[in-house]
Amino acid sequence: MAVVSVQGQDLVVEMEGLDKLWALKSRLTIPLANVRGATVDPGIVDEPKGIKAPGTHVPKVITAGTFHHDGEKVFWAVRDAQKAVVVELADETYTRLVVEVDDPRAVVEMVEKATRR
């Protein structure tokens, strides 16, 4: 699971527990100016992931790490599809972050509020 927060002018995504190992990252920091928005999207886990490099993918169990698909680089950290949040980015290494969070609607609301400033 990931903990998403707004710290100053940044969106910070911190991986918890074994997800650090599976995703091969413990923290991502993205300037809020590069965050386009966020949505709750449990269905995204059924979409093609592309090539993992590096990462972990066991269908219906876990998708974590960096994946390349259709010219996009996407960071994944999801085990429970019902808790998946998609954060759209611009001018960043990743085009999207797909992360599992404890309260998806609250995270989307927080991201949307922070990017309206």
Side-chain angles (χ1 to χ4, degrees), residues 40-81:
V40 176
D41 188 356
I44 196 162
V45 297
D46 295 324
E47 292 182 11
K49 311 299 180 285
I51 299 169
K52 64 181 181 214
T56 304
H57 181 63
V58 178
K60 306 288 185 193
V61 177
I62 187 169
T63 303
T66 301
F67 290 75
H68 300 267
H69 181 64
D70 287 341
E72 293 186 340
K73 188 175 179 181
V74 180
F75 178 79
W76 283 82
V78 177
R79 285 186 280 158
D80 181 352

Side-chain angles (χ1 to χ4, degrees), residues 1-4 77 83-85 99-105 107:
M1 188 165 306
V3 175
V4 179
K83 294 183 176 188
V85 170
V99 295
E100 176 186 336
V101 297
D102 188 44
D103 186 344
R105 297 204 184 284
V107 168

Side-chain angles (χ1 to χ4, degrees), residues 79-98:
R79 285 186 280 158
D80 181 352
Q82 297 306 309
K83 294 183 176 188
V85 170
V86 180
V87 180
E88 297 287 340
L89 305 174
D91 302 320
E92 284 293 323
T93 301
Y94 294 105
T95 55
R96 287 185 290 171
L97 309 177
V98 184

